[in-house]
Amino acid sequence: MGLALRYEMPFVDQTGLRCEQSYIPDVYKSVCVPRANQALGIELEEDRIHTWRLGPGSRLLMVPQPGNWLYGTLIFQPDRNPFENLTTGDAVLDFFQKNCPPLGQLMTLEEAEAVQQRPVAKILSVKCDRMHIHDRILLIGDAVHAVSPAIGQGCNASLQDAAVFAACLDQHQDSWEHALPVFTAQRLPEAHALQALSDYSFPRTRQMMLEFVFRVTLGKKLSRLKPQGFPPQWLIRGLPQWLPQGKPAWAAPMPLEMIMDGELPYSAVLSQCRGWVDRVKQSM
């Protein structure tokens, strides 16, 4: 619907609406599994987004859904399709059991067969310079800011669009003429920040992946134990050069952690994580 609106209606071009479209280098397959298996004593948290790295260039992101389900995507590089030589559901199930044991034990053979048969999907990114046209057309959600599913925020951002526009209508007595420019001013910076976070939160080089793992896993544990005095200076001096000057690496927040653990706007998350996002972008 967003594409039809932007490219088929003549007056859209006359307004000078600028819209960038590009395919993200990654592709994906969708995955759906139960959140728990009581017989095996396995239950993944219902209030967390679950992520795994499944080899070079592949990562899995699963989001809890109503009814005790996990929906998500396995994202990978087109030339590194982990399912390319998996021709049966049993082979797919074996892949998940070896590379992601918790999820592999939750997956049914039927879902494994479905994953094997699903086509590989491309990811289209959309970035517009406004979210309204004149005083009659509103663009929200994927129509104006389609992003990679890498951080699982596309649907959330669309719901935020709706909530903010409703508030703008309340503020301006349901006048679209006055509410639309206010809406664009409030939401466009968040849409652009979301795109940067979605594209550049996860590293692609081995060195940055090691840093990512260190800061997300070890950093959390150490910060709980002794956030002010650990690690000691002798350990800091022995760490690689990517360590930020004056403080341990684990003290700096990572984008996904800030998005999942708080209610900060995307623009605020991007501002605080700008150094990491810029480095990931440069590495690509």
Side-chain angles (χ1 to χ4, degrees), residues 25-37:
D26 293 326
V27 295
Y28 72 95
K29 280 199 173 195
S30 58
V31 181
C32 174
V33 299
R35 188 176 59 81
N37 185 323

Side-chain angles (χ1 to χ4, degrees), residues 6 12 15-20 126-133 139 143-145 184-185 188-189 191-192:
R6 290 193 304 268
V12 173
T15 65
L17 174 70
R18 292 190 296 274
C19 180
E20 301 174 9
V126 175
K127 181 179 181 181
C128 296
D129 69 339
R130 76 193 76 166
M131 300 180 72
H132 74 282
I133 301 171
L139 295 173
V144 69
H145 53 65
T184 286
L188 192 64
H192 290 176

Side-chain angles (χ1 to χ4, degrees), residues 186 189-194 197 253-255 258-259 262-275 277:
Q186 289 187 25
E190 302 306 319
H192 290 176
L194 171 63
L197 292 168
M254 297 296 282
M258 297 187 67
I259 290 171
E263 298 182 355
L264 286 176
Y266 299 122
S267 57
V269 174
L270 179 61
S271 177
Q272 296 191 40
C273 300
R274 174 62 74 177
V277 168

